[in-house]
Amino acid sequence: MKATAPPAKRRRGPRLAVLALVFCSLLVPIAFLFNRFPAVYVTDERPQQEIDLPSSGRFGFEIGGSVNEDSSNKISRSSKDLHNVIGDHSSSVSTKPKVLPPPKIEQSVLPPPKVEQPKPEVKPVPLPVQQAEGDRVNIRSRRVQNADEVEKAKACQLEFGSYCLWSIEHKEVMRDAVVKRLKDQLFVARSYYPSIAKLKGKEALTRELKQNIQEHERVLSESIVDADLPSFIKKKIERMDQSIARAKSCTVDCNNVDRKLRQILHMTEDEAHFHMKQSAYLYNLGVHTMPKSHHCLNMRLTVEYFKSAPLDPDDSPAHKFNIPEHRHYVILSKNVLASSVVINSTVSSCEDTENVVFHILTDAQNFYAMKHWFARNSYRESAVDVINYEQIIFENFPEFGTQLLYLPEEFRVFISSLERPTEKSRMEYLSVFSHSHFFVPEIFKDLRKVIILDDDVVVQRDLSFLWNLDMGDKVNGAVRFCGLKLGQLRNLLGRTMYDPQSCAWMSGVNVIDLDKWREHNVTENYLQLLRKFGNSDDEASLRAAALPLSLLSFQHLLYPLDERLTLSGLGYDYGIKEEVAQSSTSLHYNGNMKPWLELGIPDYRKYWKRFLARDERFMDECNVSP
């Protein structure tokens, strides 16, 4: 009897190889498809966050996107815009959930008086101003809108923010009159079809309607504008008109037709809103990401820093960094090109730069790129000091909690008139100090006075006169924003003592008396307020608390500067007149549309590009457009 061999085991290797090959064949087209679009790198440079607050009494207040279901003073996770809806003589409460960075406030204020156009030159010494909000009337072009347009614009901006302004400016005029007629026919035919299908003896009309509906759907699936339509479309339109006329001649229940039409209308509105949400999401993704070319520039500078030889200590300007008599400017930034433009514009407008020193506070990720860039580029006789903020806080001030660098925080304020609803509503971006600003006196212990510049500012006139300001016992010299007062934030400020008529203020160009800061213990008071508000647990809460804490910390220590010192709004407002922008002392690109982004407002980017120092080697390698 012959022994039979056991059956051979099946080999899994070939099967796995075939599966891997099939899997790769599916991934390659997908990878090719995604590679067709320009890459971007997400950063935490200007991320959004939101706060939701319950309305109380006459005020409704909301900052941000999602609804706070438990109606408590609670800080949520994503967005950061503050909407401020202000009525002129009457108040109403308004709360509205949002999908993308938005918010609102309602309060009554008197209409701001009109003032004359700002003169081209700023006075030698900025004077306090009483009506900062009214001074903006003549610098922006306005268009009278009807009530429906105002309500639509208000609802859009409350939900989607500056995307609405951008979409209006970039709206394409489409030649789609015939396409729209096809859609109208399709809606009417769909509304009649269910009723006609139920009638006896109308089988032929039912088949005809069904066929015409299917043909219209097929054509519309391939056509967006009239140029995409086939040449025989007129015959299809005529046949559909005839079918609709026959359907209308039949005796049907009008309620059913009306119900179907409303259903189609609601579905169309939902679809349009869905596409708007998608577009707004992509817009916000674009304005809160770093372009690929900028990311490449940072990486190339960082690599080159470690490859290059260290600087000669004799050539280092470090001896200037701690001389109190020099003029010291402080910039908090993670953007190499933005910092370069701020410094270049400041020294270009300054008569004497020998005693000018710039201190750039940046994070660990961008520290070496900043160091190498400013070592390669000179800015007249001024000195540039690049500081790793996170390392200094970690090593010297661990008691301050988080070591992360926070840039100036921006909150969106939406302003409309309840008394004159046909007037165009306005949206302003209010920028204030972040958590990191309050440790500047601790970092620069040897200095007595500094000017803090945001990295989205362009200086067009000499700022030397600011060093001669006598601010008395005040700490912070800033431009006030009286469109928002502390009394309107009472839900946010809680039981803290404050002056309800005190105006908000703007960062951008701020004169800081460090001696008075230390004398008034501003940093200690800020940390006490932070603990009192209980907002130091996470990053979102810390950044959302920037608005109330900044306003409370300086409410009696603010020296109001002339409003003509800084023209704000170049990051969101399309209506600023060119002659006003050219004659302003400094320009502030507060808002989402920063000048270094492709989504920046084209008419205003030229003022920023004018001061962009071009390093041919690195900028050409990374394809950074000037």
Side-chain angles (χ1 to χ4, degrees), residues 113-225:
K114 287 191 176 182
V115 297
E116 296 181 356
Q117 182 89 359
K119 297 181 180 180
E121 296 184 359
V122 178
K123 296 181 180 179
V125 178
L127 301 175
V129 291
Q130 298 298 326
Q131 292 291 338
E133 181 62 21
D135 295 340
R136 294 174 174 267
V137 173
N138 291 329
I139 67 174
R140 310 180 193 278
S141 58
R142 301 187 183 280
R143 178 176 67 89
V144 177
Q145 297 176 306
N146 58 43
D148 291 339
E149 288 178 332
V150 170
E151 289 302 319
K152 289 180 180 179
K154 184 188 301 183
C156 181
Q157 292 185 34
L158 283 176
E159 183 170 4
F160 300 117
S162 59
Y163 162 74
C164 300
L165 304 177
W166 179 86
S167 62
I168 292 173
E169 292 294 329
H170 294 81
K171 184 177 181 180
E172 296 182 8
V173 179
M174 301 179 63
R175 300 180 180 275
D176 58 350
V178 180
V179 171
K180 288 180 179 178
R181 184 179 178 186
L182 288 173
K183 292 179 179 179
D184 291 342
Q185 286 184 327
L186 183 60
F187 291 159
V188 175
R190 283 175 174 174
S191 64
Y192 273 95
Y193 176 76
S195 299
I196 298 297
K198 295 178 182 179
L199 298 179
K200 294 182 179 180
K202 298 295 181 181
E203 290 79 8
L205 178 58
T206 300
R207 287 193 299 270
E208 182 180 335
L209 270 177
K210 183 177 181 180
Q211 181 180 357
N212 288 335
I213 289 174
Q214 291 175 344
E215 290 179 355
H216 269 48
E217 289 175 342
R218 190 180 305 110
V219 170
L220 290 174
S221 66
E222 302 173 353
S223 306
I224 299 177
V225 294

Side-chain angles (χ1 to χ4, degrees), residues 28 40 262 268 270 298 367 390 411 490 537:
V28 169
V40 294
R262 291 181 183 276
T268 306
D270 291 342
N298 283 357
F367 173 69
E390 296 174 353
F411 295 84
R490 60 186 182 188
D537 297 335

